[in-house]
Amino acid sequence: SAGLGFLVSRYVSVHRRGGDMKLVRVQPRVAHVLEITRLSQIFDTFALDEDAVRAFEHAPAHSRAPLFKPTSR
């Protein structure tokens, strides 16, 4: 439960900044929890790091926005 809350809060924070998250090497028990909570519809999961990176590379430009935008002084 705490783990799911952490994932969701990180997702919301990243998404608000125009970013995206991918989960890699998700254990079967976690994958099952993501399925039953329907969070699998929100989080993309990948077996390999390379596949997750490739998914970022092929994402629409709007989802590749920098996670942290520089502030002007």
Side-chain angles (χ1 to χ4, degrees):
S1 172
L4 288 179
F6 176 79
L7 281 176
V8 170
S9 76
R10 292 299 102 203
Y11 174 82
V12 168
S13 179
V14 168
H15 191 68
R16 282 184 182 157
R17 291 177 173 88
D20 196 10
M21 284 178 53
K22 311 290 184 202
L23 302 180
V24 180
R25 293 185 230 159
V26 176
Q27 298 297 312
R29 182 174 172 195
V30 174
H32 178 69
V33 171
L34 292 173
E35 282 295 324
I36 62 175
T37 59
R38 296 188 178 174
L39 288 173
S40 60
Q41 296 174 9
I42 296 190
F43 292 107
D44 293 328
T45 60
F46 298 88
L48 302 173
D49 296 345
E50 296 82 11
D51 293 337
V53 170
R54 204 169 300 117
F56 279 116
E57 292 169 351
H58 293 108
H62 65 81
S63 66
R64 290 190 308 236
L67 182 57
F68 298 102
K69 296 178 183 168
T71 57
S72 55
R73 293 181 189 205

